[in-house]
Amino acid sequence: MNGIHDMGGMHGFGKVAAEANEPIFHDRWEGRVLGLQRSLLYTRAWNIDVFRDAQERLPASVYLGASYYERWLLALTHSALDKGLVS
């Protein structure tokens, strides 16, 4: 692997700051994205590998500029469009 998503051991991104008493979700929409991801996986229209591939295909600038759940939402959107589940 040599993509922007494979950042383990890369230098130059600064320290990872641990957030004291970090909530499970920072905003309600993040929990909804998790629910959407689980619901769409339940349809068996795609699997976790397809979902991960959709995240890994995001352009580097988008991947780095998006939060964790923003990447999930973008991947879900692209996958749902690709599979014809939404238009």
Side-chain angles (χ1 to χ4, degrees), residues 9-77:
M10 285 187 181
H11 296 282
F13 290 100
K15 293 181 178 183
V16 175
E19 186 177 331
N21 302 312
E22 183 172 9
I24 296 172
F25 302 111
H26 289 88
D27 292 300
R28 288 183 58 153
W29 70 267
E30 293 177 339
R32 292 179 179 167
V33 170
L34 175 61
L36 181 61
Q37 187 259 5
R38 298 290 164 88
S39 298
L40 290 172
L41 285 174
Y42 183 77
T43 70
R44 299 188 189 268
W46 69 75
N47 59 33
I48 197 72
D49 297 320
V50 172
F51 176 63
R52 180 178 173 145
D53 179 64
Q55 290 181 71
E56 293 173 354
R57 287 187 286 123
L58 293 171
S61 61
V62 172
Y63 189 93
L64 291 174
S67 71
Y68 184 78
Y69 283 106
E70 285 172 328
R71 287 193 300 266
W72 276 39
L73 183 57
L74 289 168
L76 289 170
T77 302

